[in-house]
Amino acid sequence: MTFDKNPFPSGDADRHALWEMLVRRDIDAFIGQDWSMVENDFIAESFFGMHAHFLANADAWRLQFPRLEIYRDEWLRQARETAATKFAEPLREAIFRVTNLRDIDVDGDRAVLHKKFDGTVAKADGSVDRLKWQTLYFCRKVEGSWKIAGFVGYMPYPLGG
């Protein structure tokens, strides 16, 4: 199956590992509603997340996830809501299809990742879920493993477009 192929070769170890964490593992955990698959991917003690509310005006963005537990609870709520939805196509393949994580800036033990969602997922009732937003992730390498330090998420895609 090529829909879930990591675009970074294993020789590009940092980008390969970051993609695996923030695409494959994130999608599989989300679909399975299994936070335990991703909970160790965060720097819990200093994590925070900004919610852009799909607005281009950065003044409207809010510190909605000041602690990891708050983000975890929202992530699980969204995962349950998605699991309760009947789709007309395989959900895992559809989420991979609409997810793009190709822009990854790595400098030593720091990385900024540009994850974009752009597309639709067909629902069983004939409607579609439209995914059209982006997230900037800030990651750090801790004891040899990449971890999520924070993010600015739910920004419009394209920004300002």
Side-chain angles (χ1 to χ4, degrees):
M1 293 189 283
T2 60
F3 69 89
D4 64 351
K5 183 178 183 335
N6 188 326
F8 300 100
S10 57
D12 188 353
D14 289 326
R15 286 176 184 82
H16 185 89
L18 286 160
W19 189 95
E20 288 294 323
M21 176 176 67
L22 276 161
V23 178
R24 186 184 315 282
R25 192 161 51 246
D26 184 56
I27 290 171
D28 288 342
F30 186 80
I31 290 171
Q33 303 174 70
D34 186 355
W35 178 258
S36 70
M37 289 177 66
V38 296
E39 69 184 332
N40 292 322
D41 290 339
F42 297 88
I43 304 172
E45 62 275 5
S46 59
F47 171 86
F48 71 93
M50 297 287 297
H51 194 312
H53 297 279
F54 309 103
L55 301 169
N57 180 359
D59 291 341
W61 302 355
R62 294 291 172 252
L63 177 61
Q64 192 151 338
F65 310 109
R67 291 179 308 286
L68 185 57
E69 308 82 56
I70 295 169
Y71 176 64
R72 176 203 60 210
D73 293 348
E74 175 60 13
W75 186 95
L76 285 166
R77 184 198 68 75
Q78 290 178 23
R80 284 190 300 273
E81 183 178 287
T82 300
T85 304
K86 294 190 183 335
F87 291 95
E89 61 180 311
L91 182 59
R92 184 175 188 269
E93 184 173 339
I95 294 175
F96 271 97
R97 184 185 69 245
V98 303
T99 302
N100 177 332
L101 179 58
R102 297 192 192 279
D103 297 313
I104 301 175
D105 301 321
V106 177
D107 190 340
D109 67 347
R110 309 281 173 157
V112 177
L113 296 78
H114 307 250
K115 186 175 182 182
K116 299 166 181 79
F117 301 90
D118 187 14
T120 59
V121 181
K123 294 167 74 174
D125 66 5
S127 66
V128 296
D129 265 350
R130 177 78 174 133
L131 289 81
K132 193 161 186 68
W133 73 86
Q134 60 185 317
T135 299
L136 279 178
Y137 288 95
F138 309 106
C139 296
R140 257 189 31 223
K141 194 178 263 190
V142 178
E143 297 178 4
S145 295
W146 285 104
K147 306 281 184 183
I148 302 164
F151 68 83
V152 179
Y154 311 101
M155 296 182 294
Y157 177 71
L159 190 59

